Amino acid sequence: MAIAVRNLTKYYGQEKAIDDISFDVKTGEILGFLGPNGAGKTTTMKIITCYMPPSSGTVDVEGYDIFDHALDVRRKIGYLPELNPLYLDMNVIEYLDYSARLHGMKNAGIKGRMREMIDACGLSEVRHKDIGELSKGYRQRVGLAQAMIHDPDVLILDEPTSGLDPNQIVEIRNLIKKLGRAKTVILSTHILSEVQATCDRVIIINDGKIVADGTPEQLKQDFRGTETISVELKTKSANVMTEVFPKLKDLSQVESVEYRGQEGDAHRFTVHTAKGSDPREQLFRQAVSEGWVLLEMSRKSTSLEEVFHKLTTADPAKP
Amino acid sequence: MTTPAIKFDLKATLKNFSNVGTIFRKELRSYFNSPVAYVVIIVFLGFIEWFYASDMFKVNLATMRDMFTLVPWIFVFVVPAITMRLIAEERKAGTIELLTTRPLNDAEIVLGKFLAAWALICISLLPTLVHYITIAFLGDIDHGPVIGGYLGLMLMAGVFVAVGLFASSLTENQIVAMIIGLVLMFALMILDKILIYVPEFMNTIVEFIGVDFHFSNIARGVIDSRDIIYFASILGFMLYLSTLSLGRRKW
Ligand SMILES: Nc1ncnc2c1ncn2[C@@H]1O[C@H](COP(=O)(O)OP(=O)(O)OP(=O)(O)O)[C@@H](O)[C@H]1O
Ligand SMILES: [Mg+2]
């Protein structure tokens, strides 16, 4: 187990920011930390990186406890804080060198590793520029480069793509995937497609509590109840409501059916499926045996957006 | 509340000085990469040259005593401006989060930053040595007080930098840090001059806390262990407080 989070609770004054959070991250896993504003993602990450102590509970990183072996924990971790703070008056090389040294790297190793990171992160053109002169996308690359300069086993990235334009987002995501290979990664985000694109596993956190934990596929599976199929078919039957409607409704994998109207002799239905099933085959066979002509049959699968929306609005969010 | 790694581990700090060195170099470079270092050096030069140009040959030949009375007051105004950014700026920019999640002790951070600002002050004193050399050539000079004076200035600068660093660790607002630093340094300077307003029995204590009292002793060329102990303990205490204050991370 690369990271074991145990019963973390954190109060800011009277306010409980996270509430008894526990989870494990396996070595090599890319974990997406998903949740609305103020859910407690950053707080959890700050605790894992030993920036601040939890009110109770503890974390184990690569076998080191955050209280007893903080320096060892920090050695194992590469961290990109929220908003990617940087020294704007240093140039890229100076800054990476500084980061490497503070991670205890010695002269011999620094040069080669710096070249590697500059290449990997596409920074060679700007390496002599002051960070303050760089665009947001380049700054983000510098943030990633500093987090990985010492080749850490664990990467903690707090909203690594926030504030970037869509092209940059794709670039940074690919970079994370490339560099995060063989590393254990926790990244937080508000963007659901990001989780689907990058993560092996998702933890959804709301109001300081974990509300879902699984692979993106599993989560979609678990919340499939709402899945719908829209069907359009042609039939010679005079009375659709008595001759077609019940035959759709009685299929074993169908939960309920709505009739949505008619256009010429084409009729449209919305079919709600029974939880976790896909009745398209049954629908097709039924149509064939009844002599209906199927014009359209398309499944609208639950998106992670919907899962997220469900989970994080069920209990009233904080103001 | 205990923070994971604010344990003040002096032994480990001394054993591995490379972290202190890294921070020292970075801070000193950022002084010289910005106008700060040059402004400080020019302010020092300007004041001292103006003072010399107007006074030296008229009033006080072959002694540097007047310069040694002037410089501490320049310190009071210049040191807070140098030290204000040391920690406050990192808090404001959020870089403190990077710095304090690297594998190093808070004491190493404090020490590295302290040494950089101290070095800058010492560097800006260097040009004044020209006067020492000139005076030594022109006439007889008593070397004891001059050496004592410079030693005293360096110790005093050390104490002031430590005070300023502590002020900077209290807030993320550099202006506030500067004002706190200025007030504390001003207080340290005038304590031995306001003894008449202090109850009799506290005189010795107040005088002992004042920095100028000890500085004057050393600048007379008399190096007394009590003065050295004073400088060392105030300096150490301030650095210790800064370390604690850096470790206080509710945000
Ligand atoms: N320094 C602080 N002082 C007081 N309360 C805080 C502080 N930092 C965070 N909080 C509170 O703790 C809760 C969790 O905040 P946190 O920053 O961890 O959320 P988040 O999931 O990272 O949100 P976002 O998506 O907006 O970054 C919020 O209610 C927030 O108001
Ligand atoms: Mg956050």
Side-chain angles (χ1 to χ4, degrees):
Chain A
M1 210 57 69
I3 303 174
V5 174
R6 291 283 168 272
N7 308 101
L8 279 195
T9 300
K10 173 75 188 177
Y11 286 93
Y12 291 105
Q14 292 295 310
E15 196 195 344
K16 207 184 231 179
I18 54 173
D19 185 4
D20 199 27
I21 284 188
S22 300
F23 62 89
D24 290 324
V25 190
K26 289 202 278 294
T27 306
E29 202 169 38
I30 301 188
L31 172 72
F33 223 44
L34 205 60
N37 289 119
K41 304 181 290 293
T42 301
T43 303
T44 309
M45 291 179 148
K46 281 180 175 173
I47 293 170
I48 297 175
T49 55
C50 301
Y51 177 64
M52 61 184 188
S55 306
S56 67
T58 191
V59 182
D60 210 87
V61 179
E62 299 282 343
Y64 294 109
D65 183 80
I66 52 165
F67 284 102
D68 301 335
H69 297 281
L71 293 191
D72 293 304
V73 170
R74 292 170 184 191
R75 248 172 234 125
K76 293 283 175 194
I77 292 181
Y79 181 32
L80 175 65
E82 195 170 31
L83 306 177
N84 186 22
L86 294 165
Y87 297 100
L88 303 183
D89 60 340
M90 292 178 103
N91 73 32
V92 174
I93 288 200
E94 280 172 351
Y95 179 53
L96 292 183
D97 181 80
Y98 179 60
S99 305
R101 283 176 201 284
L102 288 185
H103 272 296
M105 291 175 74
K106 299 287 171 236
N107 279 337
I110 291 180
K111 264 229 166 109
R113 180 66 186 166
M114 232 156 68
R115 201 168 309 129
E116 259 175 64
M117 290 317 301
I118 284 175
D119 281 347
C121 299
L123 288 167
S124 49
E125 275 157 51
V126 298
R127 66 186 187 280
H128 294 297
K129 275 198 180 175
D130 280 357
I131 294 171
E133 295 169 16
L134 299 183
S135 70
K136 184 130 190 176
Y138 273 111
R139 287 188 195 188
Q140 211 71 13
R141 294 175 194 206
V142 174
L144 280 174
Q146 66 77 26
M148 281 184 255
I149 191 82
H150 57 301
D151 200 13
D153 297 334
V154 174
L155 275 177
I156 309 278
L157 310 173
D158 201 350
E159 298 190 29
T161 59
S162 81
L164 298 180
D165 75 36
N167 294 333
Q168 290 171 329
I169 287 182
V170 173
E171 280 170 29
I172 294 290
R173 248 183 233 164
N174 290 338
L175 198 55
I176 292 172
K177 262 193 168 164
K178 185 170 84 181
L179 299 170
R181 221 175 275 147
K183 293 195 189 307
T184 308
V185 182
I186 302 184
L187 66 87
S188 76
T189 178
H190 296 129
I191 310 171
L192 292 129
S193 55
E194 185 145 296
V195 166
Q196 268 161 319
T198 7
C199 301
D200 307 321
R201 193 174 135 213
V202 195
I203 284 181
I204 298 182
I205 167 172
N206 185 40
D207 211 1
K209 294 193 187 73
I210 292 178
V211 290
D213 182 348
T215 65
E217 288 313 309
Q218 276 170 351
L219 292 190
K220 282 194 275 180
Q221 200 78 41
D222 291 351
F223 288 88
R224 252 212 176 138
T226 57
E227 199 156 290
T228 57
I229 294 173
S230 85
V231 177
E232 188 170 353
L233 53 81
K234 242 194 228 174
T235 171
K236 300 202 174 64
S237 310
N239 192 340
V240 177
M241 285 318 280
T242 54
E243 288 170 41
V244 179
F245 190 84
K247 287 178 181 151
L248 289 177
K249 207 171 162 240
D250 290 347
L251 292 173
S252 65
Q253 293 179 325
V254 171
E255 182 87 9
S256 63
V257 180
E258 287 167 53
Y259 181 60
R260 307 188 67 90
Q262 133 176 56
E263 240 174 74
D265 46 2
H267 302 271
R268 277 186 287 130
F269 302 88
T270 299
V271 176
H272 295 267
T273 70
K275 187 168 175 129
S277 61
D278 181 357
R280 281 179 298 178
E281 195 178 326
Q282 286 186 344
L283 286 167
F284 178 77
R285 290 184 192 288
Q286 187 76 340
V288 172
S289 69
E290 297 289 332
W292 306 328
V293 182
L294 262 182
L295 296 174
E296 188 204 311
M297 181 162 69
S298 62
R299 184 169 71 152
K300 206 173 136 267
S301 75
T302 328
S303 65
L304 215 47
E305 264 90 355
E306 285 167 280
V307 177
F308 180 74
H309 186 71
K310 271 206 163 142
L311 285 171
T312 56
T313 47
D315 47 322
K318 289 186 194 179
Chain B
M1 184 171 68
T2 52
T3 309
I6 66 159
K7 282 172 211 140
F8 187 74
D9 194 345
L10 193 63
K11 218 158 80 188
T13 305
L14 293 177
K15 206 174 73 189
N16 179 7
F17 231 78
S18 75
N19 285 333
V20 175
T22 302
I23 292 177
F24 169 78
R25 279 192 302 278
K26 186 251 169 196
E27 294 297 335
L28 196 59
R29 189 170 44 199
S30 77
Y31 279 130
F32 280 95
N33 276 348
S34 71
V36 177
Y38 307 101
V39 168
V40 167
I41 290 173
I42 288 168
V43 164
F44 262 94
L45 269 181
F47 261 109
I48 290 165
E49 294 313 307
W50 165 75
F51 166 80
Y52 267 96
S54 55
D55 274 0
M56 184 170 82
F57 292 102
K58 283 175 249 157
V59 186
N60 212 335
L61 284 170
T63 165
M64 296 183 75
R65 176 171 301 162
D66 290 347
M67 186 192 96
F68 291 130
T69 349
L70 174 69
V71 170
W73 288 104
I74 306 181
F75 280 166
V76 169
F77 293 96
V78 169
V79 174
I82 290 177
T83 54
M84 65 182 187
R85 54 168 283 275
L86 286 173
I87 295 175
E89 189 182 43
E90 302 235 25
R91 281 204 204 280
K92 183 90 178 180
T95 47
I96 187 116
E97 203 170 329
L98 285 166
L99 190 57
T100 55
T101 51
R102 311 277 194 221
L104 50 139
N105 297 312
D106 290 354
E108 292 171 319
I109 299 173
V110 163
L111 214 51
K113 285 174 177 277
F114 164 76
L115 290 175
W118 195 15
L120 176 60
I121 303 279
C122 293
I123 290 170
S124 57
L125 280 176
L126 283 180
T128 64
L129 286 173
V130 171
H131 297 288
Y132 177 37
I133 295 165
T134 318
I135 295 171
F137 267 110
L138 286 180
D140 256 344
I141 185 165
D142 186 356
H143 294 282
V146 176
I147 292 170
Y150 273 106
L151 178 68
L153 282 186
M154 283 166 65
L155 290 173
M156 190 177 214
V159 164
F160 280 179
V161 166
V163 168
L165 180 62
F166 171 62
S168 181
S169 75
L170 293 175
T171 167
E172 57 168 49
N173 184 324
Q174 293 192 42
I175 302 301
V176 172
M178 189 184 77
I179 291 169
I180 295 175
L182 198 125
V183 167
L184 289 177
M185 289 173 215
F186 190 77
L188 282 177
M189 274 302 282
I190 61 163
L191 274 185
D192 64 330
K193 298 170 190 67
I194 55 163
L195 291 180
I196 44 166
Y197 304 108
V198 180
E200 184 82 25
F201 70 98
M202 285 176 67
N203 273 3
T204 8
I205 281 215
V206 170
E207 190 180 55
F208 189 81
I209 294 174
V211 72
D212 209 22
F213 168 68
H214 299 276
F215 172 71
S216 323
N217 287 347
I218 292 183
R220 246 181 270 125
V222 189
I223 299 190
D224 186 326
S225 61
R226 270 185 310 172
D227 300 321
I228 302 294
I229 288 170
Y230 165 84
F231 281 113
S233 48
I234 298 269
L235 205 155
F237 183 58
M238 281 299 157
L239 292 184
Y240 178 66
L241 286 185
S242 308
T243 307
L244 288 186
S245 161
L246 180 66
R248 156 197 67 101
R249 288 177 206 129
K250 244 186 85 201
W251 30 75

